[in-house]
Amino acid sequence: MARTVLTWWIPLLILQSFLLAIAFGSNEVEEEFSESLLLKPLPDRKVLAHFHFENRAPPSNSHGRHHHLFPKAISQLVKKFRVKEMELSFTQGRWNHEHWGGYDSLSSMNAKPVGVELWAVFDVPHAQVDTSWKNLTHALSGLFCASINFLESSTSYAAPTWGFGRSADKLRYGSLPREAVCTENLTPWLKLLPCRDKDGISALMNRPSVYRGFYHSQRLHLSMVDSGEEGLGSGMLLEQSLTVVLQPDTVYDGKDLQPSWSLSSLFGRKVVGKCVLAKSSNVYLQMEGLAHQALWKNEEFELSTQPDRTLRESSSFLYIFNIDKSSDSEPFDLGLTWKLPSKWSCKQAPLHASRFLMGSGNERGAIAILLKATESQDKLSGRDLTNGGRCTIRANVFQIFPWYVKVYYHTLQIFVDQQQNTSSEVLKKINVSPSTDKMSSGMMEMMLELPCEVKSAAISIEYDKGFLHIDEYPPDANQGFDIPSALISFPDHHANLDFKEELSTLPLLSKFKEKSLVRSYTEVLLVPLTTPDFSMPYNVITITCTVFALYFGSLLNALRRRIGEEERFLKSKGKKTGGLKQLLSRFTAKIRGRPVESPSSESTAAAQSSVLSSKLLFKIILVAGVAAAWQYFSTDK
């Protein structure tokens, strides 16, 4: 009877639990994934391609949640190291702010320094921030096949307060300017996508096409989204973007026409369909410098495909293409053909920044940052007019100095329009963290307040070059040592695309509609340090071993030799060869007509042994003298 009851109750319990799971699961928001591609012709006859992928994981109160679209590896990093916000970028090439823009959302968020840049904000106590940072660098190093673990050293990262643009007391920042970027970093980055590079817009990422460009930067930004409800955890937002600047394969015909291009000519592939797991999949074409040409076919240019939607921005037009209907039989291959010459310029930041070294020699030098006014400076808005009605431009400067570059902060000099100014006039705020030899790097944060009519401003600071131990030099030490890029940000200026329409269903345009801080990175500096001759240790070891081998070899030979045995050996040898010698001596005596002499073998052996002993003694004295002289001259006095 009991077995019969159990047989009926077990299926009912399973069915009840299944129905409850469906009921509660229907209330939860599902994970979302979207993909998009932005194409933009540039004034210098190049084309910008910006891939953007967004993956959202909604808040959940479960501890062991199963992710359908969100990458599990990233979710484990967030939970294990309690990461609140993080950004990782791999960049090759330098962003050209003069021709590609510096006052737009795309350049402010995706123009990154050369090499690897990593910053993270942790939700842990202050005493555990450095430990979490080191563990995070090791995990990311294995995940992306890179040398990010080199950032675990306290000499490779810093803790900015306000100069980086984010006010967080648990922020850590580090960069590796010399890190090479290759397909080994792109492949694990693509594996985080639900469709990888097999389907959808990501299928356009042909490796040769991506890495032949003038600039490419793959970026990963992770942030936590608060649910606002009690007892419900935070959601996660993962943004992956790849920015590439390509040169179309066209032959210059001598005219001023911009080069025509298509997706197949840029990437060697076409879009044959969207990722089946993507909620939205769109391609955007942004055209700048157009007056009233909103049509996709006009007297200035012509598109190969009719757009599904056209948006007007203050200084550009945006054509939207939906690739849901593309397939193998009808692939999507957007093309742009120019008919008339067209010239335009991209918006630039209020000041163009460049950095360089001054001085010569291997002892000391100076670092200088030059800020030049741009052509669009007078048209920019958002200037600070609260300072007694005076128009000013605020600029924050953030720099990291390796410990072997010993900066003297008291030598800071500021020049405005080639006139030296006192620090109190221009420098409104400064935060300095001196470096410690082989322990921590130096950091400097400055806030400058310059007049709007400024033409140029320069900052210089002197430094001494330190000495490294021979074990601290990299394999290519003669190439020089890198100083990471400096960050110049303008807190009063924010860039965004001003669209009047509702764009909540288009993640990329919603991101560009938000205000982003205008900032730019300077060049990476290459500092030559005093480098030892790495071949000298080999030479010293070789000659020392040779001298010691000769000395001890001769000494052991002298100590182990027995003279009595040598004399008996020579006598026995003389007996064996005595007949032949006597025969030869008699023969020569008869020829010369002289009497035959028979020398005693004992005297001959004694003479030979004496000669050998004198030669041996001379060798021992010679080797001992050479060894003593070497020891005397090689010892430091």
Side-chain angles (χ1 to χ4, degrees):
M1 184 67 181
R3 291 184 178 180
T4 306
V5 173
L6 290 175
T7 305
W8 283 98
W9 275 101
I10 289 176
L12 291 176
L13 290 175
I14 295 175
L15 180 62
Q16 183 180 4
S17 61
F18 179 72
L19 294 176
L20 289 174
I22 293 177
F24 285 103
S26 60
N27 296 329
E28 292 185 0
V29 182
E30 297 181 355
E31 297 179 349
E32 296 181 358
F33 172 73
S34 62
E35 57 178 359
S36 56
L37 170 62
L38 174 66
L39 300 171
K40 179 181 176 182
L42 298 176
D44 58 347
R45 303 176 60 85
K46 296 180 179 61
V47 179
L48 170 67
H50 177 70
F51 297 84
H52 182 266
F53 307 93
E54 185 175 294
N55 208 327
R56 288 179 176 269
S60 175
N61 53 4
S62 60
H63 298 282
R65 178 171 181 174
H66 176 72
H67 295 285
H68 299 276
L69 300 177
F70 199 88
K72 183 179 179 181
I74 301 298
S75 177
Q76 290 176 344
L77 289 180
V78 173
K79 295 179 180 179
K80 185 174 182 179
F81 306 121
R82 299 180 63 182
V83 179
K84 189 175 181 180
E85 189 175 4
M86 180 190 72
E87 182 173 292
L88 174 65
S89 63
F90 297 85
T91 307
Q92 182 174 333
R94 186 171 181 268
W95 183 269
N96 191 339
H97 290 85
E98 297 180 355
H99 296 93
W100 303 344
Y103 198 84
D104 58 315
S105 301
L106 195 147
S107 62
S108 298
M109 293 186 295
N110 298 277
K112 296 298 179 179
V114 179
V116 171
E117 183 193 43
L118 173 65
W119 61 267
V121 181
F122 299 93
D123 188 14
V124 296
H126 288 278
Q128 301 178 7
V129 173
D130 292 334
T131 304
S132 300
W133 168 265
K134 294 178 182 179
N135 295 331
L136 178 63
T137 56
H138 279 272
L140 293 175
S141 179
L143 183 61
F144 292 99
C145 300
S147 303
I148 309 177
N149 58 313
F150 287 165
L151 293 175
E152 70 165 348
S153 175
S154 58
T155 60
S156 303
Y157 67 89
T161 54
W162 48 268
F164 186 66
R166 295 181 178 271
S167 300
D169 55 349
K170 300 176 183 179
L171 171 66
R172 294 295 181 268
Y173 173 87
S175 63
L176 298 173
R178 197 171 293 191
E179 180 71 15
V181 183
C182 60
T183 56
E184 293 181 354
N185 311 122
L186 181 61
T187 300
W189 184 85
L190 289 172
K191 288 183 178 180
L192 301 177
L193 301 176
C195 295
R196 300 191 178 183
D197 59 343
K198 305 301 181 183
D199 200 6
I201 293 178
S202 58
L204 292 174
M205 296 183 186
N206 186 24
R207 306 304 195 276
S209 301
V210 171
Y211 288 100
R212 74 178 180 181
F214 290 86
Y215 173 88
H216 74 268
S217 174
Q218 61 184 66
R219 169 177 165 266
L220 183 144
H221 183 269
L222 174 69
S223 58
M224 305 300 294
V225 181
D226 295 333
S227 60
E229 299 181 9
E230 186 177 358
L232 196 62
S234 300
M236 290 178 287
L237 173 61
L238 178 64
E239 298 179 45
Q240 295 178 247
S241 61
L242 176 65
T243 307
V244 188
V245 177
L246 301 173
Q247 178 68 53
D249 295 331
T250 55
V251 180
Y252 183 67
D253 54 358
K255 301 180 181 180
D256 293 334
L257 287 176
Q258 291 284 335
S260 302
W261 50 266
S262 63
L263 288 179
S264 57
S265 64
L266 292 176
F267 301 101
R269 299 176 181 177
K270 302 177 182 179
V271 181
V272 297
K274 75 167 191 175
C275 177
V276 295
L277 300 175
K279 183 179 180 181
S280 63
S281 184
N282 300 294
V283 176
Y284 308 96
L285 176 62
Q286 185 179 7
M287 302 293 294
E288 293 184 340
L290 303 180
H292 303 286
Q293 303 291 342
L295 300 178
W296 63 285
K297 284 186 178 181
N298 52 67
E299 59 182 8
E300 191 172 359
F301 66 90
E302 180 181 350
L303 303 180
S304 62
T305 306
Q306 182 177 0
D308 299 321
R309 189 178 176 185
T310 303
L311 298 180
R312 174 66 187 270
E313 205 259 338
S314 59
S315 60
S316 64
F317 284 93
L318 193 70
Y319 302 94
I320 304 177
F321 303 87
N322 195 339
I323 63 174
D324 293 341
K325 299 179 181 179
S326 59
S327 60
D328 294 333
S329 59
E330 296 181 0
F332 178 78
D333 187 16
L334 176 62
L336 173 64
T337 303
W338 291 92
K339 299 179 181 179
L340 295 176
S342 179
K343 293 184 179 180
W344 70 94
S345 60
C346 297
K347 291 183 179 180
Q348 299 183 20
L351 299 172
H352 175 68
S354 61
R355 190 173 63 159
F356 52 90
L357 293 175
M358 298 189 302
S360 60
N362 292 327
E363 186 177 359
R364 59 178 58 92
I367 300 175
I369 297 179
L370 180 62
L371 302 175
K372 283 187 176 181
T374 58
E375 297 178 356
S376 58
Q377 177 182 356
D378 297 334
K379 302 178 182 180
L380 297 178
S381 60
R383 295 168 179 169
D384 184 14
L385 297 177
T386 60
N387 191 7
R390 185 169 59 93
C391 177
T392 58
I393 300 177
R394 289 194 301 167
N396 293 339
V397 181
F398 171 70
Q399 292 190 90
I400 295 179
F401 304 104
W403 67 267
Y404 45 80
V405 178
K406 306 179 185 301
V407 177
Y408 296 106
Y409 296 99
H410 69 278
T411 61
L412 178 65
Q413 293 181 347
I414 302 176
F415 298 87
V416 178
D417 291 335
Q418 300 181 358
Q419 300 292 330
Q420 184 174 359
N421 290 46
T422 59
S423 300
S424 59
E425 296 179 0
V426 178
L427 185 61
K428 299 301 179 182
K429 191 177 181 181
I430 186 171
N431 178 31
V432 171
S433 177
S435 61
T436 305
D437 286 353
K438 304 180 182 181
M439 293 296 294
S440 63
S441 57
M443 182 188 66
M444 182 175 66
E445 299 171 299
M446 295 187 301
M447 178 183 290
L448 304 178
E449 193 173 276
L450 303 171
C452 292
E453 62 274 8
V454 65
K455 298 301 180 182
S456 65
I459 306 168
S460 66
I461 189 169
E462 299 179 3
Y463 67 92
D464 278 353
K465 301 178 181 181
F467 291 92
L468 279 70
H469 192 267
I470 189 172
D471 297 334
E472 298 173 346
Y473 285 92
D476 52 349
N478 292 310
Q479 178 183 350
F481 294 81
D482 296 310
I483 298 180
S485 300
L487 175 61
I488 313 296
S489 59
F490 303 92
D492 295 332
H493 298 81
H494 296 80
N496 67 320
L497 293 180
D498 187 13
F499 295 110
K500 305 300 182 183
E501 294 82 354
E502 176 64 29
L503 303 173
S504 58
T505 58
L506 303 176
L508 179 60
L509 299 186
S510 300
K511 191 69 177 178
F512 286 164
K513 195 173 182 180
E514 299 175 359
K515 291 185 178 181
S516 59
L517 183 66
V518 176
R519 57 184 190 172
S520 61
Y521 289 89
T522 63
E523 302 87 348
V524 175
L525 298 181
L526 191 63
V527 180
L529 297 182
T530 303
T531 306
D533 186 1
F534 293 99
S535 64
M536 281 305 297
Y538 171 78
N539 298 335
V540 171
I541 292 173
T542 302
I543 192 172
T544 304
C545 292
T546 304
V547 170
F548 273 90
L550 291 174
Y551 175 73
F552 285 103
S554 302
L555 182 61
L556 290 175
N557 190 17
L559 294 176
R560 298 283 297 177
R561 176 173 294 178
R562 298 179 181 179
I563 300 177
E565 293 182 358
E566 291 183 358
E567 291 179 354
R568 289 193 296 269
F569 175 74
L570 292 175
K571 288 180 181 180
S572 61
K573 188 177 180 181
K575 291 180 180 179
K576 294 179 182 180
T577 60
L580 180 59
K581 287 185 177 181
Q582 291 179 2
L583 182 61
L584 292 175
S585 62
R586 289 177 182 177
F587 180 74
T588 54
K590 286 183 179 182
I591 293 176
R592 295 179 180 179
R594 295 180 180 178
V596 180
E597 297 180 358
S598 56
S600 60
S601 60
E602 295 181 358
S603 61
T604 303
Q608 291 179 356
S609 63
S610 63
V611 171
L612 291 174
S613 61
S614 62
K615 290 183 178 179
L616 178 61
L617 182 61
F618 176 73
K619 288 181 180 180
I620 294 174
I621 296 175
L622 178 61
V623 172
V626 171
W630 176 265
Q631 182 68 19
Y632 175 78
F633 288 107
S634 63
T635 304
D636 297 334
K637 296 183 179 180

